[in-house]
Amino acid sequence: GAKKRKTKKEVMQELIAKSKYYKGLRAKEKDEDETLRNKLDDEFKQIMSERDTMSSIAKLMRLKKDQQQQQRVRDRDAREGRPGNFQGRERRSESDAGYDRITEDLVWDLRQNGAQAMPTREE
């Protein structure tokens, strides 16, 4: 059997129907992505508001500052020709630097906004 050729109107209706279908799919995916993103944001805020997390981040930042200070002293000593245990400056990777910036921003935001006080068991 010969297949009947579609009219221009039928082709356009089919095209419009497909377009609406895929537009709906994209909207649904966008909503699902936003819902997931909001859930992750909430969970991340919860984790960051916990006292242990904040104290760990603060310890890490103090350790990092100490290491940077020690590196500056070693660099200065090497420039001035002082004897020491100079082994050259280690370079940080881009991802390490980015992670450090994000962590510092998060701590700064939490300090500015004040960490949400967690209710005690009595409350």
Side-chain angles (χ1 to χ4, degrees):
K3 193 172 187 182
K4 181 183 170 196
R5 186 174 171 158
K6 294 180 185 177
T7 65
K8 186 174 184 178
K9 184 177 179 179
E10 290 171 331
V11 170
M12 290 306 292
Q13 286 174 335
E14 192 176 299
L15 183 66
I16 290 169
K18 282 183 180 179
S19 176
K20 287 181 181 181
Y21 171 76
Y22 287 113
K23 184 177 181 180
L25 269 181
R26 285 192 304 273
K28 182 181 175 191
E29 288 173 355
K30 183 178 177 183
D31 287 345
E32 290 170 352
D33 288 349
E34 185 174 350
T35 300
L36 179 60
R37 189 172 23 261
N38 289 336
K39 181 182 175 199
L40 291 172
D41 285 346
D42 291 343
E43 289 175 4
F44 186 72
K45 286 176 187 173
Q46 175 65 32
I47 290 169
M48 293 305 293
S49 69
E50 294 174 6
R51 190 179 314 255
D52 291 341
T53 303
M54 291 305 297
S55 64
S56 294
I57 289 174
K59 283 180 192 176
L60 289 172
M61 290 182 70
R62 281 193 301 273
L63 177 64
K64 180 181 169 198
K65 271 190 170 176
D66 291 344
Q67 289 172 342
Q68 288 172 337
Q69 178 61 30
Q70 291 169 0
Q71 185 64 47
R72 283 193 289 276
V73 169
R74 284 192 299 271
D75 289 349
R76 185 191 66 220
D77 289 349
R79 278 192 310 273
E80 295 173 1
R82 294 184 185 164
N85 196 7
F86 178 71
Q87 298 171 348
R89 184 177 191 126
E90 297 177 17
R91 300 211 182 264
R92 292 189 316 173
S93 71
E94 288 289 321
S95 62
D96 287 346
Y99 176 81
D100 291 344
R101 278 193 298 273
I102 290 170
T103 305
E104 289 169 2
D105 289 346
L106 288 170
V107 171
W108 177 256
D109 287 347
L110 286 170
R111 286 181 182 164
Q112 292 299 320
N113 299 332
Q116 299 288 328
M118 299 294 289
T120 61
R121 290 184 185 189
E122 294 79 33
E123 294 175 10

